Amino acid sequence: MSRRHSARLGTLLAATGLLLWGMPTASAQESTASSQLEYVYYNGDIVGSVTWNQDPAGSTPGDSMMVCDLKSDGWAIEADLFRTGVVERTVNTRGHNAIYCSPWASGNLQENLGWVIHVNMVNGSNTRHIHTMYVNS
C-alpha cells in the first residue's frame, strides 16, 4: 500500500472512530457509581422507569428508590424492594396522572447486600409484573 493510501486510510479510520465515539447510544439502563436508572417496557413501549440510588448525592438520599410513570394509559407504576422474600419498601405513582415520579423512598440498609426490585404496572387490584432490577446497598 502506498504512503498516500495509508494516510487516507488512517484519516478515514480516525474520522470513523470520532463519529462513532460521539454518537449517543440507546440504552434501557443508565448508571453511575451509586445510581442506577432502568426504563421499563410493556408490549414494546416505555411505560415508566425505576431509579435506585445506593449512596447519598446532594439532596438525593442513599439506599433509596423512586419510580416514574411515563405513559398515560390508566396504569400506575409500583416497585417493591426486597431481600429473602421480605419487602423492605414500596414506591408507586398511584393517584397521579403521567408523567409523574414518586418521591424517594429511603432508609438505611446494611451495606454490601444484594437486593431485588420488582416493578409492576398496577390499576386498582390488577397487577402486571413488567421488570426486575438487581441492586446493591
Side-chain angles (χ1 to χ4, degrees):
M1 183 181 311
S2 74
R3 185 178 228 184
R4 183 174 156 196
H5 285 99
S6 269
R8 281 186 181 170
L9 180 59
T11 301
L12 178 62
L13 290 174
T16 303
L18 286 174
L19 181 64
L20 292 175
W21 178 72
M23 291 176 62
T25 57
S27 174
Q29 178 177 344
E30 299 173 30
S31 63
T32 63
S34 70
S35 184
Q36 229 176 304
L37 163 70
E38 292 187 13
Y39 294 100
V40 293
Y41 298 82
Y42 183 73
N43 285 338
D45 293 328
I46 294 176
V47 295
S49 67
V50 57
T51 304
W52 170 255
N53 196 59
Q54 182 178 358
D55 298 317
S59 63
T60 305
D63 293 339
S64 61
M65 68 177 185
M66 69 184 282
V67 292
C68 296
D69 186 350
L70 303 175
K71 187 169 183 171
S72 296
D73 56 6
W75 291 81
I77 303 296
E78 184 171 271
D80 296 313
L81 174 74
F82 65 95
R83 179 176 172 75
T84 63
V86 176
V87 174
E88 179 66 29
R89 63 187 59 128
T90 299
V91 291
N92 67 65
T93 63
R94 289 179 188 261
H96 298 275
N97 294 325
I99 297 174
Y100 174 80
C101 295
S102 70
W104 288 102
S106 65
N108 195 35
L109 299 172
Q110 183 179 342
E111 294 300 312
N112 302 315
L113 291 179
W115 295 82
V116 177
I117 299 175
H118 276 181
V119 183
N120 302 300
M121 290 174 55
V122 293
N123 184 337
S125 62
N126 297 316
T127 301
R128 295 178 180 158
H129 177 75
I130 57 172
H131 189 72
T132 300
M133 181 176 181
Y134 300 95
V135 298
N136 291 311
S137 56

